[in-house]
Amino acid sequence: MTQVTDHGGGVRSLRVPIPDNPLGTTLVHVVDTDRGPVLIDTGWDDPASWDVLTAGLAACGIPVTEVHGVVITHHHPDHHGLSGKVRDASGAWIAMHALDTEIVRRTREHKAERWFAYMADKMESCGAPEEHVALLRAAGTARRADGLPQFTPALPDREIVPGELLDLAGRRLRAIWTPGHTPGHVCLHLEEAHPAGLPGHGRLFSGDHLLPRITPHIGLYEDPDDATVADPLGDYLDSLERVGRLEPAEVLPAHQYAFTDAPARVRELLTHHEERLTGLLALLATPLTAWQLAERMEWNRPWEQIPFTSRNIAVSEAEAHVRRLVKLGRAEAVAGRGPVMYVAV
């Protein structure tokens, strides 16, 4: 069933389902402009999701063929997945930050088995057990042998430039670079008075950066050919504070529901990550690998119940946090052979 919410002032949201995912739906926002409707994110590339998206647009009086443009907050498939189909149907342009466009380009150019090989090496260096690493290597071999189709997300046509207004006729929508969840994640600040007169500065389309009740995943999106050691958690915390200082009247996120008092939510998230870092320091009283850290961290379920793919994500998040501790001078890598271990200093 299509769910459409009218937020006033020429902004609506559509709940587009994400198959087999606890998040349930992506909120695709529809912004009216003088040249036609523009979508902020599009939802997962799935036939049922496409049907809901097009039915939701129709309920707004918009044939999908009339979509003028697509603005992507970040490259994840529950946001960018249907962008190509929207463009094919309407001729709409697609805009994304350059850093996430580069990830899309790498995904298109490199075969999936290369990614599995990289992940296997990465998990091995993080101390994953051999049976976990073996499954990753086997998955890459199976894809190569079976000739499975390559995942090819749509390449954007336009670059979102941080700090600049997007080219949307009759609207003032400014790009705010908010790295952390992905390197090129952007929030979009609608610099217009709130239609209901709520106090604050416009409205913020926050993607996955700022959600009312969920802490977004902070992981690693590294180029296997680039040796740069990123600090995604540090990037996220810095960009959280920037968003809090905007003091928008209302936040329109990509999941859950719209909410107010962005500064309060920012403070909650900053406190959450500081508490998590403090907890990790206690664990690092003795040297541990990123895998061992992930096993001991608190998640939304016991480690034994976390499935294979989600364990990769958890280990990535554990490493993102320990990298932050290293950069702050509160932990360091232990010299030695084999999986990398860290200890508090």
Side-chain angles (χ1 to χ4, degrees), residues 66-139:
E66 292 185 5
V67 173
H68 174 62
V70 176
V71 181
I72 300 299
T73 61
H74 61 295
H75 73 86
H76 285 168
D78 55 323
H79 298 257
H80 182 45
L82 286 171
S83 302
K85 286 189 176 180
V86 171
R87 181 169 61 190
D88 290 345
S90 64
W93 47 260
I94 302 171
M96 184 184 288
H97 189 284
L99 291 177
D100 272 21
T101 296
E102 182 55 34
I103 293 173
V104 169
R105 185 173 285 108
R106 289 204 307 267
T107 301
R108 292 171 59 91
E109 291 176 354
H110 299 310
K111 294 188 179 298
E113 53 264 29
R114 182 175 184 267
W115 181 87
F116 280 109
Y118 168 73
M119 280 299 298
D121 291 342
K122 181 70 177 173
M123 287 296 106
E124 191 170 51
S125 73
C126 288
E130 178 52 38
E131 57 268 24
H132 185 94
V133 176
L135 285 172
L136 282 167
R137 297 199 190 284

Side-chain angles (χ1 to χ4, degrees), residues 175-305:
I176 311 296
W177 183 37
T178 50
H181 185 58
T182 71
H185 190 291
V186 293
C187 293
L188 301 151
H189 189 205
L190 191 59
E191 299 177 340
E192 301 170 11
H194 192 280
L198 294 181
H201 303 103
R203 289 182 280 183
L204 184 74
F205 299 99
S206 65
D208 281 2
H209 182 70
L210 193 63
L211 302 169
R213 299 187 63 83
I214 299 173
T215 303
H217 167 65
I218 308 300
L220 307 175
Y221 289 92
E222 296 174 320
D223 183 347
D225 300 322
D226 186 348
T228 303
V229 178
D231 177 24
L233 180 57
D235 293 339
Y236 178 69
L237 298 176
D238 288 345
S239 52
L240 259 185
E241 293 182 342
R242 285 202 305 276
V243 163
R245 289 193 294 269
L246 288 175
E247 296 185 346
E250 188 175 27
V251 180
L252 302 175
H255 302 288
Q256 298 189 307
Y257 50 84
F259 63 100
T260 57
D261 202 351
R265 181 58 179 146
V266 165
R267 288 193 296 271
E268 289 176 356
L269 289 166
L270 291 172
T271 298
H272 163 79
H273 283 289
E274 185 56 42
E275 290 174 346
R276 175 157 272 197
L277 289 170
T278 299
L280 287 184
L281 273 177
L283 291 173
L284 289 172
T286 56
L288 295 172
T289 65
W291 182 277
Q292 291 169 328
L293 274 175
E295 287 180 312
R296 291 159 173 78
M297 290 169 69
E298 288 190 16
W299 305 103
N300 59 1
R301 56 189 135 172
W303 182 258
E304 295 73 22
Q305 297 176 20

Side-chain angles (χ1 to χ4, degrees), residues 28 40 53 105 169 212 278 310 313 318:
V28 174
I40 298 179
L53 176 64
R105 185 173 285 108
T278 299
S310 296
I313 295 171

Side-chain angles (χ1 to χ4, degrees), residues 4-62:
V4 179
T5 301
D6 190 341
H7 298 282
V11 176
R12 286 151 289 187
S13 61
L14 318 176
R15 290 191 175 272
V16 177
I18 310 171
D20 303 317
N21 189 294
L23 277 174
T25 59
T26 300
L27 293 173
V28 174
H29 294 96
V30 185
V31 179
D32 293 339
T33 81
D34 291 347
R35 293 199 188 109
V38 169
L39 305 185
I40 298 179
D41 294 333
T42 56
W44 192 277
D45 185 4
D46 177 80
S49 303
W50 173 253
D51 289 345
V52 170
L53 176 64
T54 54
L57 289 171
C60 297
I62 302 169

